[in-house]
Amino acid sequence: MSRMIQLENLHKGYQVDGHIVPALQGIDLSIEKGEIFGVIGHSGAGKSTLIRCINLLERPTSGRVVVDGTDLMNLDDRQLQEQRRQIGMIFQHFNLLSSATVAENVAFPLKLAKRPKAEIEQKVTELLTLVGLEAHRNKYPAQLSGGQKQRVGIARALASDPKVLLCDEATSALDPQTTNSILALLRDINRKLGLTIVLITHEMHVIRAVCDRVAVIDGGKIVEMGNVVDVFLKPQHPTTQEFVEQVADSVELKEIVSHEKADKDRTMIRITFLGSQTYQPVLFQTMLETGTPFNILQGTISRMKDTPYGQLIVELEADQEQVNKTIGSLRQRGLEVEVI
């Protein structure tokens, strides 16, 4: 893969009561062509500022913003406007023209670019079909649901055939079912068009559903970054651990751990399965071989984008030697095992 976006030593500060308040501090980030990259953080962490620096809606105080080989910080206004056509953006509250129809909203950037009328008509039809709204082309935004409005926003953002799509909290105003349908659409667009997608969110399930890699931002700094599978299953920073707990049964787990701690001949382990292992009877085979009695206290099977994974909390009723033997056998089979 080759690089689509490169942010180097990015700083952004705002003047407040005569003082500079830092919003971003030394951000270094590389995003590859064709990947879906997520940025997650709490409110005020700097994620909105970060995504708006990518197309210079917010101009960084210092640093470099390179998109597809061009440093946007070195461009004049006309050149920057030209480059921005290569960067589509969708917003939390849709930002649609209320007095324009669905088709007119999608056509708007094409009219600004003075494209021929026949070309605009063809492109609008093509995009409305892509987002599943062809039957609603003559409706107005007030007649649409939240999910339909966001689909219009996506179609409009794709009108100029951008190389990059920025999603600024694109699903946070939507209910869970609608969120899932929009995320499925973004995955579909990413695959069909090979589009590089950058999305920011405060919801870990959004990252888990669509992203290839993720950066966790806290206090204007990136505190953790990596493949979603690695970050999700082995969160290192306390902020990341908080977000992972959003989609994990952590409360129940804490209750189980505190309830079961008393017995010294019982050991609790967390076993993580990835990929094809998730659907194989590895645990059963191991326990059969080692003769270790066990109880499954908690378990889940899910997916992170295209990767199936599972986690089991298992109680082993055995002495330490037998426990070590069992854990060793599980690890030999390629499983992640952690003693809780």
Side-chain angles (χ1 to χ4, degrees), residues 48 75 82 98 117 121 125 148 177 181 188 226 241 296 308 328:
S48 285
L75 303 181
E82 195 62 39
S98 59
K117 192 174 180 182
E121 184 62 29
T125 299
Q148 288 169 333
Q177 189 176 350
S181 74
D188 190 44
Q241 290 163 3
I296 296 175

Side-chain angles (χ1 to χ4, degrees), residues 95-272:
N95 290 14
L96 300 180
L97 302 167
S98 59
S99 59
T101 64
V102 165
E104 288 166 346
N105 266 282
V106 177
F108 185 65
L110 297 170
K111 287 178 178 172
L112 283 181
K114 297 185 168 58
R115 298 281 181 85
K117 192 174 180 182
E119 183 188 325
I120 292 175
E121 184 62 29
Q122 182 184 340
K123 190 70 179 175
V124 167
T125 299
E126 178 188 312
L127 288 169
L128 289 179
T129 302
L130 178 68
V131 301
L133 287 181
E134 175 56 23
H136 301 277
R137 64 181 296 130
N138 295 319
K139 289 184 177 176
Y140 289 88
Q143 298 171 281
L144 303 177
S145 67
Q148 288 169 333
K149 287 176 186 175
Q150 194 55 284
R151 285 170 183 266
V152 178
I154 292 169
R156 181 184 59 188
L158 297 177
S160 300
D161 295 319
K163 296 173 182 174
V164 174
L165 180 63
L166 305 179
C167 306
D168 187 359
E169 294 275 15
T171 59
S172 60
L174 305 174
D175 63 71
Q177 189 176 350
T178 307
T179 291
N180 290 338
S181 74
I182 293 297
L183 295 177
L185 176 61
L186 290 174
R187 274 199 310 268
D188 190 44
I189 287 167
N190 169 253
R191 289 189 181 116
K192 283 180 179 171
L193 306 180
L195 199 62
T196 304
I197 298 178
V198 184
L199 63 84
I200 62 166
T201 182
H202 59 273
E203 298 168 305
M204 193 65 194
H205 75 89
V206 170
I207 299 290
R208 185 175 70 170
V210 295
C211 294
D212 301 299
R213 290 194 302 137
V214 61
V216 183
I217 189 168
D218 188 48
K221 298 176 182 177
I222 290 175
V223 295
E224 191 162 351
M225 182 163 54
N227 293 329
V228 171
V229 170
D230 297 331
V231 171
F232 183 80
L233 295 179
K234 301 175 198 172
Q236 303 298 311
H237 192 272
T239 301
T240 315
Q241 290 163 3
E242 276 181 52
F243 282 117
V244 169
E245 284 180 7
Q246 288 181 354
V247 287
D249 299 319
S250 51
V251 176
E252 292 89 335
L253 177 56
K254 284 172 186 168
E255 288 175 359
I256 290 168
V257 171
S258 60
H259 184 260
E260 298 289 342
K261 258 181 182 172
D263 197 330
K264 64 180 179 182
D265 281 334
R266 297 186 179 198
T267 302
M268 262 193 295
I269 59 174
R270 180 191 282 111
I271 306 169
T272 300

